Amino acid sequence: VSEKPGFATFYADVADVHTGNSLVELHLDKNSTRSGAYQVQLISVDQLRTENNLKIDFLKIDAEGVELEVLKGARNTFLIDRPKGTLGLHPFAYTDKQQTLSAIWELLQEYKLLLQVEGITISKEQFCTRKERVFDIEFLPQYTS
């Protein structure tokens, strides 16, 4: 899943299955072995939703470094269906961690989502300055009357 339909290289790693499989060519440690790189067809969340006539109530996004692209490809889903969900972030995979996290934050704000970690609402500063290599956030639609 990515921002728009097309093709990309999917990098697979047999030794580190939780972070080694990605559309981003990650620099793996010496214990990891790349099992291959494969051409894959991409689809966006919005395309999947439209083609299958879905209403999406919950999303779990864990995209190993391409979270921003997945979120961009889910614009209509977020604005129309207003799903709740979780987002696994992988800042170690971003070329520019601060810029990418800031762009993700701004997009989630545009989608009018409340962001939390373990049930506690977080600020942009808390979101963009987390030290973990990988972390999860929960998102909830903000409803206005």
Side-chain angles (χ1 to χ4, degrees):
V1 176
S2 193
E3 182 177 356
K4 56 190 171 196
F7 292 89
T9 302
F10 180 80
Y11 301 95
D13 175 23
V14 294
D16 190 6
V17 294
H18 65 283
T19 57
N21 301 302
S22 179
L23 294 175
V24 177
E25 186 170 20
L26 303 171
H27 300 290
L28 305 172
D29 66 32
K30 62 183 178 188
N31 298 322
S32 297
T33 305
R34 178 85 57 220
S35 64
Y38 309 93
Q39 280 296 112
V40 295
Q41 187 171 0
L42 302 175
I43 188 169
S44 71
V45 172
D46 285 344
Q47 180 185 0
L48 180 70
R49 176 185 169 274
T50 300
E51 288 179 2
N52 294 283
N53 195 30
L54 300 173
K55 178 181 183 327
I56 298 176
D57 295 320
F58 188 89
L59 279 173
K60 180 184 187 307
I61 301 170
D62 190 352
E64 308 300 329
V66 292
E67 294 82 23
L68 181 59
E69 292 81 356
V70 172
L71 290 166
K72 287 179 178 180
R75 176 177 299 281
N76 291 332
T77 300
F78 278 107
L79 297 176
I80 296 168
D81 293 347
R82 310 290 296 141
K84 298 175 186 174
T86 62
L87 173 63
L89 293 160
H90 299 77
F92 74 91
Y94 307 153
T95 303
D96 185 332
K97 175 184 170 182
Q98 188 65 35
Q99 181 181 13
T100 302
L101 286 173
S102 183
I104 290 170
W105 173 271
E106 294 302 327
L107 191 58
L108 295 173
Q109 294 307 297
E110 180 183 328
Y111 294 164
K112 298 186 182 354
L113 296 170
L114 177 69
L115 305 180
Q116 299 181 332
V117 174
E118 298 178 0
I120 300 170
T121 301
I122 62 171
S123 68
K124 181 177 183 178
E125 181 181 354
Q126 292 168 315
F127 181 86
C128 292
T129 60
R130 293 188 71 94
K131 301 293 183 209
E132 298 94 337
R133 284 178 40 87
V134 177
F135 65 94
D136 293 331
I137 64 161
E138 301 97 35
F139 54 84
L140 302 164
Q142 294 181 22
Y143 293 101
T144 56
S145 48

